[in-house]
């Protein structure tokens, strides 16, 4: 049996990625990808720099469908979105009926000091402003809000795939704000993993931090080890924002997951969610 890579988390010029959907497919083929999912940032109810504009959604869906047909002999393609969970406004269920799958991510947490949605996935400078001015510098409180919001999504509007679970750590280089090993932080992780297990979502091991920020995987390997003990299904995604990034660090991550005891990955293949064996060369499709 041959090995192929899969990647269900990818961006393009419909949102903040570079180059067309077609360019992503052509690059995926060159990089040995057998199953590829489009997952632009879904529209949100306010203006931001990186989400798809609402008026582009129909064109995006039509183009992904056309590419699926055109490339059906060469690669399995799926049409998804990375959806922000914004209670009262939108979440995975807002778009799910029109898609093959949803990735649910928390990039915003309530409001910042200016009364705008507070981005936890943007610059550390802006994150620190919100942390200091709205939350009195109380990082434990903010971490609790962040993981609490993820649990709320898992319980009330679960996606197919949970996006970059511990991404808030991008502001914690050299553990400047908190120590990931402390009991209170691990308690948040444990409670959240229990919610992931109960939801049936697939947890992604997202490699973007490895090749973009010189950080670790999202989530960190010890969290993935805990997830395995809970029987949570996992897939590996690159969260690519350019064709060249589609398979970045997938091989290294596959090796690490093997080392952590994972024997299979949960993927969408031939229209079904299923467990597939893998090694550092790819998945056995
Ligand atoms: Zn994201
Ligand atoms: Zn993404």
């Amino acid at each position: 049996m041959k090995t192929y890579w899969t990647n269900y988390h990818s961006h393009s010029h419909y949102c903040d990625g570079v180059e067309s959907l077609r360019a992503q497919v052509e690059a995926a083929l060159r990089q040995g990808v057998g199953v590829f999912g489009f997952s632009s940032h879904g529209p949100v109810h306010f203006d931001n720099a990186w989400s798809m504009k609402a008026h582009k959604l129909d064109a995006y869906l039509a183009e992904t469908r056309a590419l699926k047909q055109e490339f059906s002999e060469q690669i399995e393609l799926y049409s998804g979105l990375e959806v922000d969970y914004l209670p009262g406004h939108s979440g995975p269920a807002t778009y799910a009926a029109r898609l093959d799958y949803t990735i649910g991510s928390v990039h915003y947490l309530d409001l910042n000091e200016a009364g705008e949605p507070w981005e936890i996935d943007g610059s550390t400078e802006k994150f620190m402003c919100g942390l200091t001015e709205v939350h009195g510098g109380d990082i434990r409180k903010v971490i609790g809000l962040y993981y609490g919001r993820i649990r709320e999504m898992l319980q009330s509007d679960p996606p197919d795939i949970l996006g970059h679970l511990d991404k808030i750590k991008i502001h914690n280089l050299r553990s400047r704000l908190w120590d990931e090993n402390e009991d209170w932080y691990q308690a948040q992780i444990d409670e959240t993993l229990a919610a992931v297990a109960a939801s049936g979502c697939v947890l992604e091991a997202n490699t973007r931090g490895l090749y973009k920020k010189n950080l670790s995987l999202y989530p960190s390997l010890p969290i993935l080890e805990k997830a395995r003990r809970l029987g949570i299904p996992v897939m590996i995604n690159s969260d690519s924002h350019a064709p060249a990034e589609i398979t970045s660090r997938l091989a290294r991550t596959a090796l690490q997951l093997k080392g952590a005891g994972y024997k299979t990955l949960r993927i969408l293949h031939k229209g079904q969610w299923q467990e597939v064996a893998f090694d550092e060369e790819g998945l056995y499709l």
Side-chain angles (χ1 to χ4, degrees):
M1 221 184 257
K2 252 189 103 174
T3 54
Y4 297 88
W5 289 114
T6 64
N7 179 35
Y8 298 84
H9 193 153
S10 73
H11 299 277
S12 69
H13 68 188
Y14 273 98
C15 53
D16 60 342
V18 299
E19 299 203 35
S20 64
L21 298 177
R22 175 180 296 275
Q24 318 298 327
V25 175
E26 287 166 350
L29 281 168
R30 286 195 298 274
Q31 293 171 41
V33 174
V35 189
F36 184 74
F38 305 107
S39 67
S40 273
H41 292 289
V44 293
H45 64 281
F46 50 89
D47 253 345
N48 71 2
W50 41 266
S51 294
M52 185 191 301
K53 303 296 173 226
H55 71 269
K56 290 192 173 169
L57 182 60
D58 287 344
Y60 170 79
L61 295 172
E63 193 175 336
T64 59
R65 273 196 297 272
L67 288 167
K68 254 192 238 185
Q69 289 294 323
E70 182 183 339
F71 286 91
S72 63
E73 300 290 309
Q74 293 142 280
I75 188 169
E76 214 176 302
L77 297 175
Y78 289 103
S79 179
L81 282 174
E82 181 180 14
V83 182
D84 277 87
Y85 177 62
L86 296 160
H89 297 283
S90 58
T94 311
Y95 300 105
R98 303 182 71 188
L99 303 168
D100 296 320
Y101 68 93
T102 55
I103 299 175
S105 296
V106 171
H107 300 110
Y108 291 97
L109 216 46
D110 301 327
L111 302 177
N112 65 13
E113 69 288 351
E116 299 154 346
W118 184 31
E119 192 179 350
I120 63 89
D121 193 23
S123 77
T124 292
E125 194 185 349
K126 285 187 183 161
F127 175 80
M128 292 306 293
C129 262
L131 172 64
T132 311
E133 293 183 30
V134 181
H135 300 283
D138 188 345
I139 188 66
R140 272 177 77 153
K141 175 185 162 205
V142 166
I143 294 283
L145 291 173
Y146 173 73
Y147 285 108
R149 184 58 54 86
I150 292 174
R151 291 192 292 269
E152 187 186 318
M153 171 174 73
L154 291 166
Q155 284 148 11
S156 67
D157 188 358
D160 296 302
I161 301 165
L162 176 60
H164 45 62
L165 174 63
D166 66 353
K167 200 160 191 197
I168 196 164
K169 76 181 174 197
I170 61 173
H171 307 299
N172 196 34
L173 277 177
R174 293 176 294 283
S175 302
R176 60 196 282 268
L177 290 175
W178 76 91
D179 176 351
E180 283 185 40
N181 297 314
E182 281 179 38
D183 288 347
W184 67 268
Y185 185 73
Q186 285 304 316
Q188 287 290 341
I189 295 295
D190 291 345
E191 197 179 338
T192 306
L193 287 177
V196 179
S199 73
C201 290
V202 181
L203 181 66
E204 70 166 2
N206 179 314
T207 64
R208 188 160 177 78
L210 296 171
Y211 65 86
K212 194 71 186 169
K213 301 242 181 210
N214 215 6
L215 270 168
S216 55
L217 272 174
Y218 309 128
S220 302
L221 202 56
I223 299 176
L224 287 160
E225 284 167 350
K226 280 185 169 178
R228 188 191 57 74
R229 290 195 290 274
L230 292 167
I232 293 171
V234 163
M235 64 176 14
I236 305 174
N237 289 328
S238 66
D239 200 351
S240 54
H241 283 63
E245 297 172 349
I246 287 170
T247 53
S248 289
R249 304 298 182 100
L250 299 189
R252 169 188 153 153
T253 301
L255 199 59
Q256 284 185 314
L257 289 185
K258 276 267 178 201
Y262 281 94
K263 299 203 164 32
T264 56
L265 299 174
R266 175 80 56 92
I267 59 161
L268 182 57
H269 178 36
K270 297 181 177 166
Q272 306 255 339
W273 290 96
Q274 50 183 291
E275 295 290 322
V276 173
F278 72 104
D279 61 26
E280 67 273 23
E281 314 255 288
L283 289 81
Y284 291 81
L285 295 181

